[in-house]
Amino acid sequence: MSSAAEVGPLLVKALDYFRNHPSEELTAEQFEERGLVFSQGLGVQLQKHDKFIYDQSKKTYKFCPRYRGLTNRDDIMKLLQNRNETAGIKLDELSESYTGVTADIEELKRDGQIILIENSRTETRVFEDSHLIHIDDRFKTQWSEIPLTDMIQKLEQHDLPVVNQLPKVLQRAETNKSKTNTKRQRNRTNTHLD
């Protein structure tokens, strides 16, 4: 049997292939035809993996995305509208549903039916637009015009808590600037070349 070190890269390549070809169902021989290496260890791992279905009668492996049965943009909208959760759907999980899903997501975004929001972990989530609160454009403009330092001072004046990380971020930016300026000043001449 193959070791984990040998099977790991094969499993990653198989996952990548099936994410790009989610409707394919392959036998061991067809893996080889597609340029993928198939081993007994890989077969065992695919059978255990939650993203694959192994059909014993046909001896085929099929990719099993989290959101099954999606075939077009209408299916995406139904999925988003029927969810009880407000956290949205991870774009990565939705992207592996069917070939062409990325184009449909971009089209829905362009039409204003969905919104893509990226969080601090660079994990993008998809939200249906009607479930979000709409904020007046005038308020958005006024909010964006308030300088960050003025906002912190006003919060402190009214004894409101300021996010602890915000001043640290500003301090780090100032510290980094002073370090780079000092370094540049020191390296102006090459005394060793005299």
Side-chain angles (χ1 to χ4, degrees):
M1 184 170 266
S2 302
S3 71
E6 294 170 354
V7 173
L10 300 178
L11 183 60
V12 169
K13 286 182 182 178
L15 276 167
D16 287 343
Y17 177 83
F18 277 101
R19 282 188 178 123
N20 293 322
H21 306 88
S23 59
E24 286 197 32
E25 196 169 339
L26 302 179
T27 63
E29 294 78 27
Q30 289 171 325
F31 268 78
E32 301 288 337
E33 292 169 6
R34 307 284 189 295
L36 301 168
V37 177
F38 188 88
S39 68
Q40 183 182 1
L42 177 62
V44 170
Q45 290 302 313
L46 291 175
Q47 289 176 31
K48 291 179 184 178
H49 202 283
D50 63 338
K51 294 260 184 187
F52 287 92
I53 297 173
Y54 178 67
D55 186 337
Q56 184 70 33
S57 63
K58 296 192 265 181
K59 298 193 184 305
T60 57
Y61 299 89
K62 182 170 175 51
F63 187 67
C64 182
R66 175 149 189 218
Y67 301 104
R68 298 177 193 108
L70 300 180
T71 58
N72 56 40
R73 58 182 279 167
D74 294 331
D75 292 340
I76 295 171
M77 289 306 297
K78 285 177 193 169
L79 174 68
L80 289 167
Q81 291 166 349
N82 293 333
R83 289 177 56 87
N84 293 331
E85 300 172 26
T86 57
I89 295 175
K90 289 182 183 178
L91 181 61
D92 291 342
E93 292 175 352
L94 190 60
S95 295
E96 57 192 28
S97 296
Y98 64 93
T99 307
V101 69
T102 307
D104 286 346
I105 290 170
E106 285 300 319
E107 194 175 315
L108 288 167
K109 179 183 171 189
R110 196 173 38 254
D111 293 347
Q113 292 182 287
I114 63 169
I115 294 177
L116 302 179
I117 298 177
E118 189 173 308
N119 67 16
S120 60
R121 294 174 295 198
T122 65
E123 174 184 89
T124 305
R125 291 190 173 262
V126 180
F127 294 88
E128 194 231 339
D129 193 30
S130 68
H131 287 257
L132 298 174
I133 298 170
H134 291 279
I135 299 173
D136 183 35
D137 287 335
R138 193 178 72 204
F139 177 80
K140 288 179 191 178
T141 303
Q142 290 174 345
W143 181 263
S144 66
E145 290 172 353
I146 300 173
L148 192 56
T149 52
D150 291 351
M151 195 179 310
I152 292 170
Q153 289 172 354
K154 291 204 187 275
L155 287 170
E156 289 173 347
Q157 285 174 357
H158 296 287
D159 294 327
L160 295 171
V162 178
V163 177
N164 291 337
Q165 293 179 338
L166 198 54
K168 289 178 186 175
V169 170
L170 292 174
Q171 289 171 355
R172 265 192 242 131
E174 290 172 8
T175 306
N176 289 343
K177 282 182 183 178
S178 64
K179 284 181 183 176
T180 55
N181 289 341
T182 305
K183 187 176 181 180
R184 285 184 188 144
Q185 290 172 355
R186 276 189 264 147
N187 292 336
R188 283 189 179 167
T189 59
N190 290 327
T191 55
H192 67 280
L193 296 176
D194 289 334

